[in-house]
Amino acid sequence: MAHTTTPMTELPGNLYVVSAPSGAGKSSLVKALLSADPRLSVSVSHTTRAPRGQEQNGQAYWFVNTEQFQAMIAEGAFLEWASVHGNYYGTSQNAILQHLRAGQDVILEIDWQGALQIKKIFAHAVLIFVLPPSWDELHQRLIQRAEDSPEVITQRMQNARTEVAHATDFDYLIINASFVQALQELQSVIQSQRLRMASQRMNNSAIFSSLNL
C-alpha cells in the first residue's frame, strides 16, 4: 500500500481516531461530537457490508462490493483497511490528507486494527477507545438496538473480547456508562490536543512570531 510521507507535524489539522466494540456507543458519541463541534470533519470509510436501516451511501459509509474494495487496495487508495466481522472496511488516503492540509481536524471512526495502522503512519494521531461499563451492559445494548440476529450478537460479543484487549494500545480510554459524561470526556480530549504546543504553533504562527516564540 502506498502512503504519504508527509509527517503529521507538518499538517495543520489534528487527526483523531475513535474505536470501540460494537454496542459501546462509539457511533452515537461521534455523531453528537460532530453536531457540537464545527471544527471537526469526519472521513467516510468504504465498506463491503450491506447498509443497515436508513443508512445512506456516502453518509454512514461508501458501500462497495468486494471486487471494488480489492481493486482499491491494489491501487493503494486506502490509508488503512481491515477485515472486521467478515466485511472489509477502509479509510481513503486522499480524503484524510485534503482535510488535514486545509487545517481541518478529522475524526475517524474505525476498528482497533485500523487505528494502530494509522498510528504507524501518523505518530501524532490521537487514539481514543470507548469501553462499555460491563459485558452484560454491552450485550443488552446489542439486543436493544435490534439490528442483528442472536447469532450475530453472539459473534460480536466474542469479537468484543479481542477488541477490548487492545484498549491499552490507545492514548485515551472513555468508559461510556453515562452518555452525557462520555461525550464531555470526548470533547475534553479533542480540546486538549488543540491546545498542545505543536498544534498552537502550527495554527497561530503569526502570534508566535510576534511574541518571538
Side-chain angles (χ1 to χ4, degrees), residues 84-193:
V84 184
H85 305 306
N87 293 295
Y88 286 114
Y89 293 81
T91 302
S92 167
Q93 179 173 205
N94 287 336
I96 297 296
L97 291 178
Q98 285 175 3
H99 286 303
L100 295 178
R101 286 170 176 157
Q104 298 172 328
D105 290 348
V106 179
I107 189 164
L108 302 180
E109 184 185 336
I110 58 179
D111 82 300
W112 69 268
Q113 299 174 74
L116 297 185
Q117 288 181 45
I118 291 290
K119 192 72 168 182
K120 289 180 180 178
I121 301 165
F122 294 128
H124 289 76
V126 179
L127 305 190
I128 307 163
F129 199 94
V130 179
L131 288 171
S134 69
W135 293 119
D136 287 342
E137 177 63 21
L138 182 64
H139 189 242
Q140 285 303 311
R141 290 178 185 179
L142 288 172
I143 294 172
Q144 290 169 4
R145 74 181 189 181
E147 291 181 352
D148 302 308
S149 67
E151 293 77 17
V152 171
I153 289 174
T154 297
Q155 184 63 54
R156 290 192 183 281
M157 287 297 298
Q158 292 174 352
N159 292 340
R161 294 188 181 275
T162 298
E163 294 162 347
V164 168
H166 289 275
T168 54
D169 296 325
F170 284 64
D171 301 309
Y172 293 91
L173 295 177
I174 293 174
I175 300 173
N176 186 14
S178 161
F179 184 84
V180 172
Q181 181 176 338
L183 178 58
Q184 290 175 343
E185 291 173 352
L186 184 56
Q187 290 171 320
S188 295
V189 172
I190 300 299
Q191 187 61 16
S192 66
Q193 176 65 15

Side-chain angles (χ1 to χ4, degrees), residues 17-33:
V17 183
V18 182
S19 301
S22 295
K26 165 173 57 75
S27 296
S28 296
L29 285 169
V30 170
K31 182 178 180 180
L33 179 66

Side-chain angles (χ1 to χ4, degrees), residues 30-41:
V30 170
K31 182 178 180 180
L33 179 66
L34 288 167
S35 296
D37 192 335
R39 293 178 58 186
L40 272 176
S41 299

